[in-house]
Amino acid sequence: MTAQQTAGAFRTAAEAVNWIVHLIPFGIKPGLKRMEKLMELLDHPERRLKFIHVAGTNGKGSVCAFLTEVLKQSGYDVGTFTSPYIEKYSDRIRLNGENIPDEDLVRVVNKIKPLADEIAASELGQPTMFEVSTAVAIEYFAHVAYPDFVVWETGLGGRLDSTNVVAPILSVITNIGHDHMEILGDSIAKVAAEKAGIIKPGVPVVSAVGQPEAVEVLDRTAKEKNSTLYLLDRQFRYEALSSRENDQTFHFYSPFRNIPDLGISMNGRHQFQNAAVSVMALELLRQYYALIVEDDVLVKALKDTRWAGRMEMISQTPRILIDGAHNPEGGAVLAQALKETYTYNKLHFVMGMLSTKNHSEYLRHILPLVDTLILTEPDWHKKEDAAKLAELARTLLQEIGRTDVDVIVEPDWKAALEQVKGRTAKDDLAVVSGTLYLIGDVRSWILHQSDSEKGW
């Protein structure tokens, strides 16, 4: 370690994370120049790793969870990089499902900080929180953990996302929806073009994208890059067989083989699609990279997969379900699951959002189902005002002719949680939904009676 590094060295993980999190005010700066410079200064650690790059509007986290669990149970060492994290900063960088150890985090951040400072002093400017986090993950995987595969989730978009500095062995685009349109573009085709930016020359891509204009973008990009596109309902498909709480089954069909009677524990009809995309990705790894996954391991690992904060029942008395649905598509999926999968007498709904999201379309899916709506606010600098959300909800409730919904404004999320607990009788269901910044806090508070760390 150089004298410069030693002088500014962090001694604890808390100090290292504090430095990274304080880069948040630098915001999101799309573009890869700072990442490319960081990789050059680190002597290109990304070239040592096999990445499975996962992009998409919704479902990225679930697909990453399925892939990680199957690879891990098949005996491979697997690194996973996901965002935002749910409770702790180190959640986002994992080896075989275990968070990066504090001492490794400190060592890697101490290596990267002087390089980030060097870039900050140049015309490229200060690397962002997400860029530094991405570099920390790559350096940890390349020089400390040595996984066989890295399951690699994009932060935002794809083309200009920090994670796109890598050359993957397989790309996955789950779906395209109405999210981050203020950054990615104001149409499905424009958002698709950003996500398609992770398609690399000659590297196969798996996708469940459905809109014709998005499919057209993916087809065109794959053709330009000489990459084979495996599209749901074209090259592969699934057939849903049964759907009960914590138990769903489906048949899988692909060009290579068909696999009957696969089961998953994750809830919601959308998880069929996420599981099918994951199985197709694994089939391609078998074909292209001689991946060995025994069928009994595949069956068990899919069933064992869990993903925190996604339709997760975190309390039984009262029943409290948390779900990080925060855009119109997420709202539609949650509403469908509340109608088809869960049983309850009354539904009490707590919601907290960021100001950048499309709240009216989300609410249109949820409002027909609720008996109580409590609007609250996450502890986050871009939070949406609870009173403003309540005003919007009341307008939409008038439109659908519902005068029987109790609409409550409680900006303090802990107080909102106490309110919903008090209202939820034995046969009722409480749901807390919205931004993952709120979900992370609620999960930490209910399970551990502690606040979560914060950062994107």
Side-chain angles (χ1 to χ4, degrees):
M1 201 179 268
T2 66
Q4 178 197 7
Q5 283 173 302
T6 312
F10 300 114
R11 291 180 303 281
T12 67
E15 288 175 1
V17 170
N18 191 46
W19 170 64
I20 295 171
V21 170
H22 276 84
L23 298 173
I24 286 173
F26 292 97
I28 296 163
K29 300 187 204 169
L32 289 170
K33 287 201 162 37
R34 285 174 302 280
M35 278 306 300
E36 286 164 353
K37 188 64 180 173
L38 261 175
M39 292 300 101
E40 183 190 316
L41 293 173
L42 287 165
D43 197 21
H44 292 288
E46 80 282 9
R47 292 177 184 168
R48 305 165 70 101
L49 298 162
K50 291 189 176 79
F51 293 94
I52 302 161
H53 202 177
V54 183
T57 301
N58 295 312
K60 296 190 296 292
S62 298
V63 167
C64 288
F66 281 125
L67 291 173
T68 297
E69 194 62 33
V70 175
L71 291 169
K72 185 181 78 166
Q73 290 199 24
S74 296
Y76 294 98
D77 286 326
V78 53
T80 314
F81 180 67
T82 54
S83 59
Y85 52 86
I86 299 294
E87 290 176 16
K88 282 170 66 68
Y89 178 85
S90 54
D91 288 353
R92 73 187 318 152
I93 302 169
R94 295 183 156 198
L95 178 71
N96 297 331
E98 298 293 323
N99 292 6
I100 178 173
D102 285 356
E103 61 272 22
D104 290 334
L105 181 63
V106 171
R107 191 155 44 124
V108 172
V109 174
N110 279 333
K111 184 173 182 180
I112 284 170
K113 184 179 187 297
L115 307 180
D117 291 344
E118 186 183 321
I119 292 168
S122 76
E123 72 284 356
L124 292 173
Q126 175 66 56
T128 66
M129 187 267 193
F130 192 67
E131 287 168 341
V132 168
S133 298
T134 306
V136 168
I138 291 172
E139 179 64 21
Y140 169 65
F141 292 139
H143 288 125
V144 182
Y146 309 110
D148 300 301
F149 298 97
V150 178
V151 177
W152 192 241
E153 184 189 348
T154 55
L156 195 156
R159 184 175 65 93
L160 300 175
D161 188 72
S162 316
T163 61
N164 207 27
V165 77
V166 311
I169 58 170
L170 181 68
S171 302
V172 179
I173 299 171
T174 56
N175 52 41
I176 307 289
H178 300 79
D179 207 357
H180 300 296
M181 294 183 101
E182 74 285 1
I183 295 169
L184 301 180
D186 58 3
S187 71
I188 289 293
K190 285 179 184 171
V191 176
E194 292 302 314
K195 309 280 188 197
I198 72 164
I199 298 175
K200 299 295 195 306
V203 177
V205 57
V206 180
S207 183
V209 166
Q211 305 95 323
E213 64 271 39
V215 170
E216 191 183 319
V217 170
L218 262 58
D219 274 332
R220 187 173 66 243
T221 309
K223 194 174 177 190
E224 285 165 5
K225 299 282 174 73
N226 287 321
S227 162
T228 308
L229 172 63
Y230 293 85
L231 191 68
L232 181 69
D233 292 331
R234 195 163 71 187
Q235 280 79 15
F236 71 104
R237 66 186 177 89
Y238 67 87
E239 179 189 343
L241 300 177
S242 67
S243 185
R244 293 182 300 278
E245 191 174 338
N246 305 328
D247 181 22
Q248 305 196 96
T249 56
F250 67 101
H251 292 329
F252 172 80
Y253 304 91
S254 82
F256 308 123
R257 63 182 185 139
N258 304 329
I259 313 173
D261 301 314
L262 290 170
I264 53 176
S265 301
M266 298 230 272
N267 290 308
R269 198 169 276 264
H270 62 301
Q271 293 298 0
F272 286 128
Q273 179 172 300
N274 292 332
V277 165
S278 305
V279 175
M280 189 67 231
L282 291 160
E283 286 296 292
L284 285 168
L285 292 173
R286 286 163 63 100
Q287 296 296 322
Y288 286 78
Y289 293 95
L291 181 82
I292 298 170
V293 176
E294 302 295 347
D295 282 2
D296 58 341
V297 174
L298 175 68
V299 167
K300 181 178 182 299
L302 288 177
K303 192 76 177 146
D304 287 348
T305 302
R306 304 284 185 279
W307 187 230
R310 278 41 168 221
M311 290 193 204
E312 182 184 15
M313 195 73 75
I314 53 166
S315 167
Q316 287 295 342
T317 46
R319 289 167 74 219
I320 302 175
L321 183 77
I322 58 172
D323 187 60
H326 56 265
N327 53 34
E329 289 79 8
V333 160
L334 175 57
Q336 184 181 45
L338 289 171
K339 283 185 272 196
E340 294 178 358
T341 307
Y342 298 95
T343 55
Y344 46 85
N345 182 19
K346 287 189 168 181
L347 181 64
H348 309 287
F349 203 93
V350 180
M351 171 182 165
M353 290 286 194
L354 298 188
S355 56
T356 52
K357 303 299 175 184
N358 180 341
H359 306 310
S360 56
E361 290 310 308
Y362 173 96
L363 280 165
R364 282 184 208 281
H365 294 297
I366 299 300
L367 289 177
L369 308 176
V370 304
D371 296 283
T372 310
L373 180 67
I374 303 176
L375 288 318
T376 191
E377 296 172 6
D379 291 332
W380 191 244
H381 64 292
K382 291 181 181 174
K383 66 186 178 186
E384 180 62 286
D385 183 67
K388 200 190 281 187
L389 277 177
E391 200 178 307
L392 174 62
R394 287 187 185 109
T395 304
L396 294 173
L397 283 165
Q398 264 182 328
E399 275 181 27
I400 61 173
R402 285 204 65 187
T403 54
D404 57 334
V405 178
D406 208 351
V407 178
I408 298 162
V409 176
E410 179 44 83
D412 180 334
W413 65 264
K414 283 181 185 170
L417 206 52
E418 288 311 307
Q419 280 228 36
V420 83
K421 281 181 184 175
R423 284 170 173 258
T424 307
K426 184 172 174 287
D427 295 328
D428 293 353
L429 177 65
V431 176
V432 183
S433 189
T435 172
L436 283 167
Y437 298 114
L438 173 68
I439 299 305
D441 274 339
V442 168
R443 190 175 195 274
S444 263
W445 189 246
I446 290 178
L447 296 182
H448 316 298
Q449 288 293 296
S450 65
D451 294 326
S452 68
E453 295 174 0
K454 278 291 191 303
W456 191 65

